[in-house]
Amino acid sequence: PVTPRYSEGSGSPPKPSLLNIASIMGLLPAPALAAYSASKAAVIALSEAMYAELRPHGVHVTVAAPGFFRTSLLDNGAFASQRHRDQADELVRTSVIDADSVARETLRASAQGRLYAVMSRRARWYWRLKRGAPMMLLHVLARRYSRMMEARGD
């Protein structure tokens, strides 16, 4: 089991917590992934609302926002072009996080009372840039996307 079991007589019960799984794409705009980003942004907005609504009742909410990592998500994914698929494959291939580390970090964030569990140094860096200089981030993302498409022949 991922979490310790609680039984009567084994001490105080754990604090109630909700864990929602989104993606870094819900915090950062992703060229060519607008629908996916929007759906993950909705999970984040729901988590933020639940956090404010349930906190007075002692219920903690954490939303996980990992970057790309190895899963079967891309196996059946539809992409606008082969270039987009290649980019997603590269992000997964070079990822420094995996499903186990995502689970551990999400549980750690929840135990620490954090709303957000943003995983990977690169994802946290982009998220900080978005919060401090949102237009700069959009320019960086647009430039990177343009270079990626040019490098692959578009």
Side-chain angles (χ1 to χ4, degrees):
V2 176
T3 58
R5 295 183 185 259
Y6 168 76
S7 61
E8 288 188 37
S10 65
S12 59
K15 293 178 84 172
S17 298
L18 293 173
L19 303 177
N20 291 327
I21 308 300
S23 167
I24 192 61
M25 297 300 141
L27 294 168
L28 302 172
L33 290 172
Y36 182 78
S37 292
S39 69
K40 298 308 177 179
V43 172
I44 291 167
L46 174 66
S47 300
E48 292 167 340
M50 292 171 69
Y51 179 90
E53 194 173 317
L54 298 174
R55 187 172 174 86
H57 303 287
V59 178
H60 182 73
V61 177
T62 295
V63 60
F68 284 85
F69 64 97
R70 277 186 265 290
T71 67
S72 60
L73 179 68
L74 299 183
D75 293 349
N76 297 311
F79 293 85
S81 72
Q82 186 60 41
R83 283 172 214 68
H84 292 111
R85 175 150 192 75
D86 292 346
Q87 179 65 22
D89 287 339
E90 178 71 8
L91 288 168
V92 167
R93 189 184 66 71
T94 60
S95 177
V96 296
I97 60 175
D98 59 17
D100 288 340
S101 65
V102 169
R104 280 191 306 275
E105 178 56 28
T106 302
L107 291 172
R108 182 179 307 118
S110 179
Q112 293 172 350
R114 294 184 352 232
L115 171 58
Y116 304 102
V118 179
M119 283 139 240
S120 96
R121 185 176 302 146
R122 178 175 45 191
R124 284 190 298 273
W125 187 88
Y126 278 121
W127 186 44
R128 286 183 190 112
L129 181 59
K130 178 187 179 184
R131 294 183 313 182
M135 290 308 297
M136 182 184 291
L137 173 71
L138 292 175
H139 290 286
V140 167
L141 292 175
R143 195 168 39 251
R144 285 188 64 169
Y145 182 71
S146 179
R147 283 188 203 140
M148 179 197 69
M149 295 308 287
E150 288 170 7
R152 291 187 165 89
D154 265 359

